[in-house]
Amino acid sequence: MLDIRPNCECCDKDLPFDSADAFICSFECTFCGDCTQNLLGGKCPNCEGELVARPRRPSGKLEKFPVSTDRVFNPTCQEQHATSKGH
């Protein structure tokens, strides 16, 4: 079962369980649409895997299957990827 992490690892934007703006790789690294498209080019910076839209958990399942509250954030992500793209 997916963790459904609560934030973008790159910019720390909140990504609620029902967000259509969340993207994940096969290891569940989680990023917002802006970082996915404009900074990372659709590729996970951790594993180099493809980033795809994260499935949304139905709100009726949250009590039995709660989402993660653990935030993962790399404050240097944006700087590292802007530099590697020549910005």
Side-chain angles (χ1 to χ4, degrees):
M1 177 176 15
L2 294 175
D3 283 343
I4 311 288
R5 296 176 186 168
N7 66 303
C8 175
E9 293 183 25
C10 204
C11 72
D12 204 29
K13 175 182 177 179
D14 288 337
L15 296 170
F17 71 94
D18 58 353
S19 176
D21 190 40
F23 292 81
I24 61 173
C25 70
S26 65
F27 291 98
E28 292 190 65
C29 301
T30 305
F31 302 94
C32 70
D34 187 46
C35 288
T36 294
Q37 295 171 354
N38 299 319
L39 193 63
L40 305 173
K43 191 172 170 183
C44 179
N46 303 319
C47 71
E48 298 184 359
E50 175 185 22
L51 292 171
V52 298
R54 180 181 73 188
R56 287 171 263 174
R57 183 160 301 157
S59 59
K61 300 291 183 181
L62 292 175
E63 187 174 331
K64 187 172 181 180
F65 303 103
V67 298
S68 176
T69 57
D70 295 333
R71 296 179 80 86
V72 177
F73 176 55
N74 177 358
T76 63
C77 177
Q78 289 188 348
E79 181 181 304
Q80 289 172 344
H81 292 285
T83 302
S84 69
K85 290 177 83 173
H87 294 116

